[in-house]
Amino acid sequence: MDESNAKRALELYPAMLEEVGDPLKNFKKGSYEVSFQSYLERTAAHMDAVEDAYQEAEDKEALIRELAEAFVRAAHKNLEGKKKRRQEELLMNYNMCLVVYVNPALLAHNPLSGQPLVDALLLKWKETFPKTNLKSASFDTINGGFKRRFCYITTAVCASRGQGDNCYELNLLRDYRDQYLSRQPDGEALICQYYDVAPTVVKHINARADAGQVYEEIWQRYLAPCISMIEEHRYQECRRLYEDMVSRLKEQYFYTGKVEN
């Protein structure tokens, strides 16, 4: 194997994380596709280096492990020396970068090394950051999710608690939204209001040093009670709490991200 190709891949691949910038800035129905294509263009050389090294490697599994370790090591180094809350904020940002940009780009651009590297990276990421529970997803799956409608705030809360996108709580709340709330008078209007404000709310919360604490408060005050209400078929009570959550979070975080008691 040409050692220079492997060395180049090890240098360039970890840099894909920082190339994302703010992962939520363009994570919207009208802008995500363009933003993702721009990311593909900016990181094409990074991914080409990985694919070239993989094709030439005699021990492909060893190379993949080394690349995954280098990527996680670089992320971990960026977290070192920072206060706990700042670390939590950066880690959530990195989680989003991986799920929405880095991994889908590899899956789209690298036909041979993409899936093995994504799988190895997620395993190493979980090993290094045990509270995370990230899943692999393609660009088409993520982009199609805008049509299915993401639970932005609930997803962010569950992610901060180490729960995956397919966890019981998220699926229960999605079913409530689609099977009950959307079929109620003005239910769709309420859902649309939520999707108008939720991405910005999440962006402002993620920018805070105490983002983890804020998400935990949302869980305790709104989501956990809503889940209990749904399980007990108290659907109208859940709706009232849901409306209160949307209204309060919009007031607190939509415009400036500043909490007003």
Side-chain angles (χ1 to χ4, degrees):
M1 182 182 73
D2 186 340
E3 292 185 1
S4 63
N5 284 337
K7 182 179 179 181
R8 187 163 180 265
L10 287 166
E11 291 174 349
L12 289 177
Y13 173 52
M16 287 184 66
L17 185 62
E18 298 300 331
E19 282 287 342
V20 175
D22 181 354
L24 276 171
K25 181 178 180 180
N26 292 305
F27 190 57
K28 303 172 185 176
K29 184 177 180 180
S31 58
Y32 173 57
E33 183 172 1
V34 173
S35 178
F36 180 77
Q37 293 301 323
S38 175
Y39 178 75
L40 278 179
E41 294 174 4
R42 295 198 308 275
T43 58
H46 304 59
M47 294 184 287
D48 286 343
V50 169
E51 190 78 344
D52 290 344
Y54 183 80
Q55 290 186 53
E56 296 177 356
E58 295 181 5
D59 190 341
K60 298 185 187 313
E61 291 185 4
L63 174 67
I64 289 296
R65 285 196 302 271
E66 193 173 358
L67 286 167
E69 289 169 0
F71 189 99
V72 176
R73 188 164 54 247
H76 190 270
K77 184 177 181 180
N78 289 339
L79 298 176
E80 289 180 344
K82 295 180 172 61
K83 293 183 178 180
K84 182 179 179 181
R85 289 180 179 175
R86 178 57 178 162
Q87 286 182 346
E88 292 174 348
E89 175 191 340
L90 282 175
L91 182 56
M92 283 191 290
N93 194 62
Y94 287 164
N95 290 341
M96 190 75 173
C97 289
L98 278 181
V99 171
V100 177
Y101 286 96
V102 178
N103 289 347
L106 283 165
L107 294 174
H109 189 274
N110 289 21
L112 298 178
S113 63
Q115 190 66 64
L117 183 51
V118 168
D119 292 343
L121 175 59
L122 292 179
L123 286 174
K124 189 62 181 179
W125 197 265
K126 177 69 173 177
E127 177 185 321
T128 308
F129 308 112
K131 292 184 178 181
T132 63
N133 191 26
L134 308 184
K135 303 294 182 182
S136 171
S138 68
F139 165 77
D140 289 337
T141 298
I142 296 170
N143 199 43
F146 288 106
K147 298 177 182 178
R148 298 192 304 274
R149 298 179 301 196
F150 282 111
C151 291
Y152 290 96
I153 294 172
T154 309
T155 299
V157 171
C158 287
S160 75
R161 295 171 58 84
Q163 296 164 278
D165 184 66
N166 201 38
C167 66
Y168 166 78
E169 293 83 358
L170 267 171
N171 285 329
L172 184 71
L173 290 165
R174 285 169 178 149
D175 287 343
Y176 171 77
R177 176 198 64 197
D178 296 336
Q179 302 302 321
Y180 176 80
L181 189 58
S182 66
R183 300 179 181 181
Q184 302 305 302
D186 73 359
E188 278 292 342
L190 177 61
I191 293 170
C192 287
Q193 179 189 10
Y194 173 85
Y195 284 101
D196 283 342
V197 305
T200 300
V201 166
V202 169
K203 179 179 179 179
H204 282 159
I205 293 175
N206 284 349
R208 294 173 57 94
D210 62 344
Q213 180 182 337
V214 172
Y215 284 133
E216 183 62 24
E217 290 172 355
I218 294 172
W219 173 263
Q220 297 293 341
R221 182 169 184 171
Y222 298 109
L223 298 182
C226 272
I227 288 167
S228 296
M229 291 172 186
I230 294 169
E231 291 174 331
E232 297 168 5
H233 307 293
R234 294 153 54 200
Y235 300 133
Q236 279 297 329
E237 290 181 60
C238 179
R239 172 175 177 156
R240 287 193 289 271
L241 189 57
Y242 180 93
E243 290 176 324
D244 182 55
M245 179 186 77
V246 173
S247 175
R248 184 168 175 79
L249 293 180
K250 179 179 180 180
E251 177 184 348
Q252 289 182 310
Y253 302 108
F254 183 70
Y255 296 106
T256 65
K258 180 180 179 181
V259 178
E260 297 179 3
N261 295 321

